Amino acid sequence: MAAVYAADAGPPLPAMAATAAVLYPVTAWATAAQLAMTSPDLRAMLTAASGRWRTLLAEAAPGLVWVVVTALLGVAVNLIFDPHPAPVYERLLGLVLHLVCGLAGVSLAFAAHALGLTRGAQTLTIIAMALASALTPMLPPIRPVLQAWSGSQLPSSTWQGAWSLVGPLVLSSALTAATLALRRRGV
């Protein structure tokens, strides 16, 4: 965020879209680091005592708190440092963009962890997914968010704006389903 707001970031919504897009790999990396600290034995004990869903929620809690805090920070920093006035709906949209991009990052970290990848392989997977998302027009969240919201005007098509918000949720759902399936099989 400091890099975005070190100079005049321009209109608020494109600046918030940029920080939201960056939240995807940053949140994935932070969640992967947090998951690496949990031993398989502890996870097995928690699963036996509480069940798969409760264990998954307990493991996801730090990443989700990180997402909420950084989403609020992304909008607050914009509000404080951006000299351009913005309507409330743009600030709320910026908050939603931060939340969905961060959620996609948490889901990516869980899927990489469930695959049983080493820390280095998880980091490479996160980097590869971020690059793929940045370079592929329809792969959420980075490119769709930046394409829809980086102009000074609202997106030219409703589909583009909707996909920038729904696409990260679809990706998060798919990655969470993959995580649950992999954990069930014991991979």
Side-chain angles (χ1 to χ4, degrees):
M1 286 185 240
V4 172
Y5 296 108
D8 185 2
L13 194 53
M16 285 188 284
T19 58
V22 170
L23 197 55
Y24 173 58
V26 169
T27 302
W29 175 82
T31 304
Q34 174 258 319
L35 288 171
M37 295 184 331
T38 306
S39 72
D41 295 335
L42 177 60
R43 186 173 297 107
M45 184 178 75
L46 288 172
T47 301
S50 300
R52 289 187 210 289
W53 282 102
R54 286 186 182 172
T55 301
L56 185 65
L57 287 174
E59 288 179 330
L64 296 175
V65 168
W66 169 257
V67 168
V68 171
V69 168
T70 54
L72 291 171
L73 250 165
V75 175
V77 168
N78 180 278
L79 181 65
I80 294 167
F81 293 110
D82 198 337
H84 304 281
V88 173
Y89 79 89
E90 284 189 10
R91 305 247 186 241
L92 290 174
L93 182 58
L95 179 65
V96 170
L97 289 172
H98 280 85
L99 290 171
V100 296
C101 288
L103 183 62
V106 170
S107 301
L108 173 59
F110 269 89
H113 188 263
L115 283 169
L117 301 175
T118 65
R119 284 287 295 132
Q122 286 180 27
T123 301
L124 290 176
T125 300
I126 290 166
I127 292 169
M129 285 295 291
L131 286 173
S133 178
L135 298 173
T136 308
M138 293 303 292
L139 183 61
I142 295 175
R143 184 83 177 261
V145 165
L146 293 178
Q147 280 181 328
W149 308 108
S150 47
S152 60
Q153 308 227 346
L154 294 177
S156 57
S157 76
T158 305
W159 162 251
Q160 189 180 34
W163 183 246
S164 72
L165 297 170
V166 175
L169 295 176
V170 170
L171 179 64
S172 296
S173 298
L175 290 171
T176 301
T179 298
L180 291 172
L182 288 168
R183 284 190 173 189
R184 183 167 286 134
R185 282 196 263 153
V187 171

